[in-house]
């Protein structure tokens, strides 16, 4: 599954950050997922615990912020928040500029360091 490899990548990034804080674990993760990122938020939520299993990220809360698409056509100037193909719905141009909607990134995360 596509989302699983993305979740694994996120876990890897988080584990990398944790290297600076020994004995710490991740409590919660906030990720931004654009409507045009090609990632299904529900699938990501579903597979995240599997990717986190056995790592300090295990048991953390995944908070997904979906980002609406905002795209501007550089040829005709049309701006839209609805896009299903990488083409301008008005003039058919591929010359599109995404202001938002393609995000797929960890926005922030909380670390718990009080393990005794
Ligand atoms: Zn256009």
């Amino acid at each position: 599954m596509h989302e699983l490899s993305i979740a694994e990548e996120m876990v890897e990034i988080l584990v990398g950050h944790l290297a600076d804080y020994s004995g710490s674990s991740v409590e919660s993760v906030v990720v931004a997922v654009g409507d045009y990122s090609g990632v299904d938020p529900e699938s990501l939520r579903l597979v995240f615990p599997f990717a986190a299993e056995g790592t300090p990220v295990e048991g953390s809360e995944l908070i997904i912020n979906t980002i609406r698409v905002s795209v501007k056509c550089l040829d005709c100037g049309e701006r839209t928040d609805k896009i299903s193909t990488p083409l301008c719905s008005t003039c058919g141009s591929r010359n599109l500029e995404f202001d938002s909607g393609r995000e797929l990134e960890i926005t922030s995360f909380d670390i718990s360091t009080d393990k005794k």
Side-chain angles (χ1 to χ4, degrees):
M1 195 189 283
H2 176 55
E3 276 76 11
L4 182 59
S5 59
I6 288 159
E8 281 170 345
E9 218 168 284
M10 283 178 174
V11 168
E12 211 169 286
I13 292 167
L14 291 165
V15 169
H17 283 295
L18 286 180
D20 298 338
Y21 312 89
S22 77
S24 56
S25 62
V26 173
E27 292 217 307
S28 61
V29 191
V30 184
V31 295
V33 177
D35 276 346
Y36 200 70
S37 66
V39 172
D40 175 39
E42 276 318 301
S43 302
L44 186 61
R45 196 188 305 281
L46 220 64
V47 299
F48 186 75
F50 295 101
E53 212 177 292
T55 77
V57 185
E58 185 173 355
S60 62
E61 186 190 0
L62 179 67
I63 300 153
I64 297 176
N65 288 327
T66 52
I67 313 284
R68 287 201 66 137
V69 170
S70 176
V71 60
K72 186 185 171 197
C73 176
L74 295 177
D75 283 334
C76 74
E78 182 77 5
R79 185 173 278 283
T80 182
D81 60 0
K82 292 182 192 68
I83 187 162
S84 53
T85 63
L87 298 171
C88 173
S89 55
T90 304
C91 73
S93 168
R94 287 179 177 274
N95 206 0
L96 303 178
E97 186 179 73
F98 281 82
D99 288 333
S100 65
R102 289 181 122 172
E103 295 82 355
L104 179 58
E105 59 198 14
I106 296 166
T107 315
S108 63
F109 57 92
D110 280 332
I111 294 174
S112 160
T113 50
D114 53 11
K115 273 198 176 165
K116 300 221 163 89

